[in-house]
């Protein structure tokens, strides 16, 4: 095979789009995920804009209560299950993990394309559920019992869709664990592995270990709904708190599934643009594992107001605070990486810095939620909504976009306009913070979440927040237009436009199908700048 | 809303402000440091990057200091939490019943209300039950909430230290009218409270009283209908009795007199003729939920509201 042909130009066994959707090439699968996720994101974000529009005035603005309840449920389901959960691992993990490890593909390429098919199947079942049976679910994305069991809407299909998405996620996790254990190139010891790979590794374990729990839970809800057996509904002898425990045993660690690979991206971007080795490599790598482990024992902080025993609440509050420590360690090491560098200010770096700023707000507001007394006040208010959008969108979302701007030249072989990228980032930043910071204030003032209507004195804050959603929406389209334009008309990208040191920068842009002509051998740490490594 | 109307509210606010101030200092420091690095260590000002890449001292420092800070935060939260959860033994017990989408309160002497009225500076312990799904009893001015879970008895206690009327909200999503599941808590001086206690018993008697109980209880009418003239979701029942009302029947407008037959029909089969202006908010049909006697009592109550504009 001619190694100089790039993966996206190569002649495949199937013509056109079939050469992509039946491809077992990890890079093509990464791109498939990118396009699928971007499409769902536009849908999810549009629903978000409609929700904010409804909040413009008290009482009815544009939709009925039931429609509003369906909107926030569908927004949550799409954003969580179709975007942030698969997000970074399935786009950039697929595309870059094998390359960063110096491998030709993941361990199980066929399972890899299967995971995309399962993802699409799950997504389509969930989306189809909106239009058949009782219509779009109105339960909130958390599907709490017993409300979900009593709801007349179609919850079986979205739940079954989510169940299938879980299988897709487990397969990706297994694939990555095996790839990382077995396919690192010669010389790449665990402590010479790029930090992005470490983030994926920690995440993969949570995917494999925690996903089955939520899978079973969702099936139990379906069984209870369809066969009328009492697992979670107390009127049939079930326990609604059992549902919440099972749900959060997965769904809290899932937060780390989302954020750890995003943090991995930040750990790639900072040394590249500082032209300096990462500060505290081991601290960053092992803190990912610590976050994954401690993070698996903090789930019940979602349940401080449920009537769970006071002792349990105290223990879970304490454990929750422990997660803050490895997270802080990462942030301080990133800052120390900047210190003394020779910093080249480019869009990906700016995304990384915005990530640090916004993720810090997400983390600090998280401490108010982890603190028992303050949580009793702000639990289930807009404060929580603001907090998790700061971590998930302001953190993970901006990390993902940073990753996209960082690796775009590598993935598509084209450069984008630096000027327009910065304008887009500026718009996103202003829109994001206008939208969500006001939610934090409203929550602290006592505005409950999932409220169709609200008391008049919240209106000014709601209006400001809604204006933020318009700015953010413009930013999203500006950013997408910027990248699509670059993909079509951009200048050709060099193999290593940023001066990166990890293996993906040592091959051409876009990479050839087989990645490497010869499997490379690694001598230095991934970000060390000596011995000819840039 | 900024009132700290419960004894423990100021403790919650202290924990909040401690975390807020620590966070603001750290966030400002982190942000300024990033901006400083962009300026001082730009490619132009610092063409040759430094080579250091780790420090055990620094790693220890930024592990230990945050650990101390978060432990202080945990402790502040823990301390406040204990005050919020340890109800004094002499607390007045009020039972709270939550259902889609209203609150009902039952006092020790058997009185039932849809608004909570409590004496100032007296500990009150709410024992809370749900009849359908999970709700959450939330008083922002008290900084406290507790879920009301079917099949469980959860409690929330407080000692109100400020007179006034405060919002009570449902904070756990419970369906279509979740955001309308609200009521108020009125904190009265001891003498006023005692007067209220007597007043509510004397106010209404006989069939009309039964009707009022159904209105707040079995029928849950007050979720959508007010008795004081204000518009909630449905039309108010104040002054309804024997009044002339425009309804939409089979797509046409028609004037009716709200007599016994009309009210009976409007409860059992509400979608047949809908009061003009309320076409978009369908009411549940009560056929099979309320029997003949219940409706009779409700009619008496509506009569009472009409005769007795209070």
């Amino acid at each position: 095979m001619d190694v100089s042909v790039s993966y996206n130009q190569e002649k495949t066994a199937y013509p056109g789009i079939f050469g992509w959707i039946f491809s077992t090439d990890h890079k093509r699968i990464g791109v498939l995920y990118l396009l699928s996720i971007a499409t769902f994101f536009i849908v999810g974000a549009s629903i978000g804009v409609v929700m904010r529009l409804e909040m413009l005035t008290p009482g009815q603005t544009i939709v009925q209560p039931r429609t509003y309840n369906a909107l926030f449920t569908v927004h949550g389901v799409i954003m969580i299950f179709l975007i942030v959960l698969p997000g970074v691992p399935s786009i950039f993990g697929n595309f870059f993990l094998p390359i960063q490890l110096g491998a030709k593909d993941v361990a199980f390429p066929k399972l890899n394309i299967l995971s995309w098919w399962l993802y699409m199947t799950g997504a389509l079942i969930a989306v189809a559920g909106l239009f058949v049976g009782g219509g779009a679910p109105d339960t909130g994305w958390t599907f709490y019992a017993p409300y979900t069991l009593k709801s007349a809407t179609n919850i079986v299909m979205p739940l079954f869709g989510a169940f299938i998405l879980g299988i897709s996620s487990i397969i990706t996790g297994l694939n990555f664990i095996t790839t990382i254990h077995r396919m690192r190139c010669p010389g790449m010891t665990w402590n010479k592995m790029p930090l992005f790979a470490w983030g994926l590794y920690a995440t993969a374990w949570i995917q494999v270990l925690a996903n089955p729990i939520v899978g079973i839970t969702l099936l139990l809800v379906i069984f209870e709904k369809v066969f009328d057996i009492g697992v979670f509904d107390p009127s049939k002898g079930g326990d609604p708190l059992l549902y919440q425990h099972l749900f959060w045993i997965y769904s809290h660690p899932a937060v780390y599934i989302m954020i750890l690979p995003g943090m991995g991206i930040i750990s790639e971007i900072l040394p590249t643009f500082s032209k300096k080795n990462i500060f505290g490599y081991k601290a960053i790598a092992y803190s990912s594992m610590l976050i994954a482990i401690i993070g698996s024992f903090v789930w019940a902080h979602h349940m401080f107001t449920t009537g769970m025993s006071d002792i349990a609440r105290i223990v879970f509050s304490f454990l929750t605070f422990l997660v803050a420590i490895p997270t802080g360690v990462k942030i301080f090491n990133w800052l120390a990486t900047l210190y003394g560098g020779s910093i080249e200010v480019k869009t990906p770096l700016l995304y990384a810095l915005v990530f640090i700023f916004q993720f810090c707000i997400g983390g600090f507001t998280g401490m108010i939620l982890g603190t028992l007394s303050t949580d009793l006040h702000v639990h289930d208010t807009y404060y929580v909504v603001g907090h998790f959008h700061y971590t998930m969108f302001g953190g993970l979302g901006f990390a993902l976009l940073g990753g996209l701007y960082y690796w775009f030249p590598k993935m598509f072989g084209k450069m984008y306009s630096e000027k327009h990228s910065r304008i887009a980032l500026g718009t996103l930043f202003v829109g994001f913070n206008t939208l969500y910071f006001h939610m934090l204030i409203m929550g602290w003032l006592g505005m409950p979440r999932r409220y169709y209507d609200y008391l008049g004195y919240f209106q000014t804050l709601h209006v400001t927040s809604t204006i933020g959603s318009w700015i953010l929406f413009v930013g999203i389209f500006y950013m997408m237009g910027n990248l699509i334009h670059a993909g079509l008309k951009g200048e050709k990208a060099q193999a290593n436009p940023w001066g990166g040191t990890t293996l993906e920068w040592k091959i051409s842009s876009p990479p050839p199908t087989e990645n490497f002509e010869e499997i490379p051998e690694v001598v230095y740490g991934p970000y060390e700048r000596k011995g000819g490594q840039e | 809303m900024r009132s700290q109307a419960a004894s423990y509210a100021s403790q919650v606010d202290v924990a909040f402000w401690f975390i807020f101030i620590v966070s603001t200092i750290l966030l400002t420091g982190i942000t300024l440091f990033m901006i400083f690095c962009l300026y001082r260590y730009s490619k132009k000002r610092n063409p040759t990057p430094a080579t250091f890449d780790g420090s055990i001292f620094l790693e220890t420092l930024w592990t230990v200091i945050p650990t101390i800070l978060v432990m202080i935060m945990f402790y502040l939260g823990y301390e406040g939490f204990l005050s919020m959860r340890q109800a004094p033994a002499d607390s007045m017990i009020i039972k709270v019943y939550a259902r889609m989408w209203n609150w009902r309160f039952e006092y020790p002497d058997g009185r039932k209300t849809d608004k909570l009225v409590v004496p100032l500076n007296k500990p009150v312990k709410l024992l809370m039950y749900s009849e359908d799904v999970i709700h959450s009893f939330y008083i922002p001015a008290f900084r406290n909430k507790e879920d009301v879970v079917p099949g469980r008895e959860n409690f929330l206690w407080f000692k109100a230290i400020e007179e006034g009327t405060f919002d009570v909200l449902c904070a756990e999503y419970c369906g279509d009218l979740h955001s309308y599941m609200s009521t108020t808590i009125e904190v009265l001086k001891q003498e006023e409270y005692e007067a209220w206690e007597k007043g509510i018993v004397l106010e209404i008697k006989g069939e009309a009283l039964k009707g009022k109980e159904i209105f707040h209880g079995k029928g849950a009418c007050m979720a959508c209908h007010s008795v004081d003239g204000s518009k909630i979701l449905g039309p108010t029942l104040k002054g309804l009795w024997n009044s002339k009302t425009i309804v939409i029947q089979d797509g046409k407008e028609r004037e009716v007199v709200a007599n016994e037959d009309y009210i009976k029909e409007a409860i059992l089969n509400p979608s047949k003729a809908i009061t003009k202006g309320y076409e978009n908010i369908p009411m549940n049909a009560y056929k099979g939920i309320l029997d003949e006697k219940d409706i009779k009592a409700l009619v008496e109550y509506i009569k009472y509201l009409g005769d007795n504009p209070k």
Side-chain angles (χ1 to χ4, degrees):
Chain A
M1 186 176 286
D2 182 3
V3 289
S4 64
V5 177
S6 61
Y7 78 99
N8 53 355
Q9 301 291 336
E10 187 215 10
K11 270 212 162 45
T12 51
Y14 309 101
I17 189 176
F18 298 104
W20 290 79
I21 62 176
F22 295 126
S23 172
T24 53
D25 177 6
H26 65 98
K27 299 180 286 301
R28 288 195 166 206
I29 295 171
V31 173
L32 277 180
Y33 268 115
L34 173 65
L35 298 177
S36 327
I37 286 174
T39 310
F40 290 125
F41 179 70
I42 293 173
V43 178
S46 306
I47 295 175
V49 170
V50 176
M51 282 158 62
R52 281 316 314 165
L53 209 53
E54 175 51 48
M55 289 290 101
L56 201 56
T57 60
Q60 182 173 350
T61 310
I62 48 169
V63 297
Q64 297 277 321
R66 182 163 289 182
T67 315
Y68 179 77
N69 297 342
L71 286 173
F72 70 66
T73 304
V74 177
H75 172 82
V77 168
I78 290 181
M79 288 300 194
I80 299 283
F81 292 110
L82 299 184
I83 294 153
V84 287
L85 271 175
V88 174
S90 37
I91 302 172
F92 302 120
N94 268 322
F95 201 109
F96 288 105
L97 177 66
I99 306 182
Q100 284 200 330
L101 298 181
K104 293 199 169 183
D105 207 321
V106 291
F108 310 112
K110 283 182 182 159
L111 278 184
N112 206 11
I113 187 67
L114 176 67
S115 85
W116 181 78
W117 276 94
L118 286 172
Y119 169 79
M120 288 309 282
T121 311
L124 292 179
I125 289 177
V127 170
L130 309 183
F131 303 103
V132 299
D138 68 339
T139 59
W141 77 275
T142 45
F143 296 105
Y144 268 18
Y147 182 77
T148 298
L149 299 162
K150 294 181 194 286
S151 170
T153 56
N154 187 350
I155 60 125
V156 171
M157 283 174 74
L159 286 180
F160 191 64
F163 175 75
I164 294 178
L165 290 167
I167 300 176
S168 161
S169 178
I170 294 172
I171 291 177
T172 304
L174 273 175
N175 218 338
F176 285 1
I177 293 173
T178 318
T179 308
I180 290 168
H181 274 270
R182 306 299 306 161
M183 300 185 66
R184 281 172 285 129
C185 65
M188 187 177 285
T189 56
W190 284 94
N191 288 334
K192 288 199 173 78
M193 193 163 75
L195 289 164
F196 178 59
W198 267 108
L200 290 172
Y201 183 69
T203 287
W205 276 111
I206 313 178
Q207 284 176 304
V208 171
L209 294 176
N211 243 310
I213 301 172
V214 79
I216 292 297
T217 311
L218 299 181
L219 281 191
L220 283 172
V221 174
I222 295 176
F223 285 162
E224 178 151 6
K225 185 104 180 163
V226 176
F227 303 114
D228 215 32
I229 46 169
V231 183
F232 303 125
D233 185 349
S235 63
K236 298 186 190 109
D239 181 2
L241 260 55
L242 176 66
Y243 174 82
Q244 294 188 23
H245 277 294
L246 290 174
F247 182 82
W248 289 114
I249 283 175
Y250 165 75
S251 297
H252 192 77
V255 170
Y256 304 111
I257 293 187
M258 304 169 194
I259 202 66
L260 287 172
M263 291 171 153
I265 293 176
I266 304 303
S267 308
E268 297 292 322
I269 292 176
L270 289 172
T272 296
F273 292 93
S274 306
K275 307 285 173 231
K276 186 166 159 278
N277 194 0
I278 189 96
F279 193 89
Y281 171 88
K282 284 186 185 171
I284 295 181
Y286 301 162
S287 64
S288 290
M289 297 308 287
L290 265 180
I291 291 174
I293 294 166
I294 304 172
S296 297
F297 297 97
V298 303
W299 73 86
H301 66 212
H302 293 266
M303 300 169 60
F304 285 162
T305 65
T306 53
M308 184 172 70
S309 84
D310 291 350
I311 293 291
R313 300 188 214 194
I314 293 163
V315 170
F316 276 104
S317 168
F318 183 81
L319 291 170
T320 299
F321 275 109
L322 297 185
V323 187
I325 300 163
T327 313
V329 164
K330 275 186 194 287
I331 289 169
F332 292 121
N333 278 296
W334 288 331
L335 295 177
T337 303
L338 288 170
Y339 185 80
S342 176
I343 299 169
E344 196 177 358
V345 183
K346 293 278 185 191
T347 308
L349 180 75
L350 293 173
Y351 268 99
L353 302 182
V354 168
F355 165 92
I356 293 177
F357 176 78
Q358 290 175 168
F359 187 74
C360 279
I361 298 183
F364 291 139
T365 51
M367 300 204 280
I368 300 274
L369 292 166
T371 303
L372 280 167
S373 60
T374 46
D375 180 74
L376 294 189
H377 174 47
V378 292
H379 182 79
D380 263 322
T381 66
Y382 266 60
Y383 195 86
V384 176
V385 182
H387 157 74
F388 70 69
H389 281 92
Y390 263 98
T391 55
M392 292 295 100
F393 189 2
L396 169 86
F398 277 71
L400 193 151
L401 292 176
L404 191 56
Y405 276 96
Y406 181 56
W407 281 315
F408 187 89
K410 179 57 61 186
M411 292 173 84
F412 302 104
K414 298 284 175 63
M415 293 304 289
Y416 44 79
S417 150
E418 182 69 27
K419 186 181 113 192
H420 290 291
S421 311
R422 287 186 188 196
I423 298 173
L425 171 59
T427 319
L428 289 172
F429 178 77
V430 172
F432 176 87
N433 287 287
T434 313
L435 171 52
Y436 296 111
F437 197 80
H438 293 92
M439 289 194 178
L440 295 173
I441 303 172
M442 278 190 266
W444 176 247
L445 295 177
M447 167 81 211
R449 65 190 285 210
R450 295 172 171 174
Y451 256 34
Y452 168 74
D453 200 353
Y454 55 84
L455 297 163
Y457 55 81
F458 287 115
Q459 196 180 3
T460 316
L461 289 162
H462 271 300
V463 169
T464 322
S465 176
T466 300
I467 292 171
S469 76
W470 299 335
I471 304 172
L472 184 61
F473 205 53
V474 169
I476 289 168
F477 280 97
Y478 200 105
M479 176 268 298
M480 286 186 167
N482 168 232
L483 288 179
I484 291 169
H485 182 264
L488 298 173
K489 300 242 171 84
E491 280 176 45
K492 205 180 158 1
Q494 304 298 308
N496 191 359
W498 317 127
T501 52
T502 39
L503 290 174
E504 74 269 31
W505 304 111
K506 302 212 170 7
I507 56 176
S508 57
S509 303
T513 306
E514 298 274 296
N515 300 345
F516 302 96
E517 237 171 298
E518 278 172 53
I519 294 297
E521 193 171 339
V522 167
V523 183
Y524 298 104
Y527 312 105
E528 276 184 87
R529 289 169 184 274
K530 56 187 170 192
Q533 287 210 8
E534 230 287 316
Chain B
M1 153 61 213
R2 286 301 78 201
S3 15
Q4 299 171 326
S7 54
Y8 43 64
S10 59
Q11 250 178 309
V12 178
D13 287 4
V14 165
F16 174 83
W17 287 112
F18 175 77
I19 302 171
F20 182 83
I21 290 164
V22 169
S23 305
T24 309
I25 294 170
L26 282 170
L27 183 68
T28 312
I30 288 167
T31 310
L32 289 178
F33 186 83
M34 292 194 293
I35 295 169
F36 163 75
C37 286
L38 285 190
Y39 173 82
R40 173 63 187 82
Y41 298 107
S42 71
K43 208 173 164 185
K44 204 171 74 194
R45 286 190 190 78
N46 194 34
T48 321
T51 50
F52 59 83
D53 55 10
S55 152
I56 295 291
F57 170 73
L58 284 175
E59 299 291 349
T60 314
L61 190 72
W62 59 51
T63 307
V64 172
I65 292 177
T67 306
I68 294 169
L69 286 175
V70 296
M71 284 306 118
I72 297 173
M73 292 175 192
F74 165 75
Y75 181 75
L76 287 173
Y78 164 80
E79 211 186 12
F81 178 72
L82 291 185
S83 327
M84 294 165 100
R85 295 296 298 169
Q86 290 172 349
D90 62 340
S91 302
M92 172 164 98
I93 305 277
I94 301 176
K95 290 185 174 168
V96 177
Y97 296 92
R99 68 153 81 169
M100 294 165 159
W101 292 277
N102 58 70
W103 300 100
R104 288 176 301 141
F105 306 99
E106 193 182 317
Y107 283 76
D109 59 6
R111 271 171 302 129
K112 289 179 184 139
T113 62
D114 57 353
K115 280 182 185 150
L116 196 49
V117 179
V118 296
L120 186 68
N121 286 324
K122 282 270 160 64
V124 173
K125 185 174 179 182
L126 305 177
L127 299 180
M128 310 196 289
Y129 313 90
S130 168
E131 293 171 15
D132 39 43
V133 300
I134 303 177
H135 303 278
S136 189
F137 184 90
Y138 179 31
I139 309 177
F142 288 8
R143 311 285 188 277
N144 202 357
K145 73 166 67 69
E146 185 80 0
D147 292 359
V148 188
V149 182
R152 293 177 74 95
E153 179 188 88
N154 281 356
F155 81 91
L156 180 146
W157 91 272
F158 55 80
K159 187 170 85 182
I161 55 167
E162 196 181 306
E163 273 179 83
T165 305
F166 307 99
D167 292 317
V168 174
L169 308 169
C170 175
E172 181 66 52
Y173 173 70
C174 59
D176 285 1
L177 303 183
H178 167 52
S179 65
Y180 296 100
M181 187 170 163
S182 58
T183 181
T184 51
I185 175 167
E186 207 175 328
V187 182
L188 298 177
K189 281 204 195 84
Q190 187 63 33
E191 347 31 296
E192 285 170 358
Y193 177 76
E194 279 162 17
W196 172 83
E197 215 174 11
K198 284 184 200 119
I200 194 163
V201 183
L202 296 176
E203 205 173 64
I204 176 170
K205 277 183 189 140
E207 278 293 297
L209 177 63
K210 251 187 232 160
K212 186 179 182 185
E213 277 168 11
I214 294 163
F215 182 84
H216 293 283
K218 203 167 161 190
C221 318
M222 88 291 194
C224 304
H225 298 283
S226 80
V227 294
D228 61 359
S230 60
K231 183 182 161 180
I232 314 180
L233 282 172
T236 183
L237 301 186
K238 181 186 166 187
L240 173 70
W241 180 249
N242 268 339
S243 67
K244 285 178 185 163
T245 313
I246 309 281
V247 296
I248 313 276
Q249 192 165 5
D250 304 325
K252 275 179 249 138
E253 288 187 15
R254 192 164 78 85
E255 196 185 72
V256 293
V257 174
N259 55 21
E260 190 160 343
D261 288 342
Y262 166 77
I263 291 171
K264 199 171 152 187
E265 190 61 21
I267 295 171
L268 290 175
N269 192 7
S271 51
K272 196 170 142 202
I274 300 173
T275 308
K276 196 178 171 199
Y278 296 91
E279 299 92 323
N280 291 332
I281 308 155
M283 172 178 151
N284 292 330
Y286 278 86
K287 212 170 228 161
I289 301 173
L290 299 180
D291 59 24
E292 194 77 9
K293 265 166 77 189
D294 294 336
I295 290 175
K296 194 103 183 125
L298 277 172
V299 169
E300 286 305 312
Y301 181 51
I302 290 168
K303 259 188 210 171
Y304 161 85
L305 291 171
D307 298 343
N308 217 344
K310 184 178 182 274

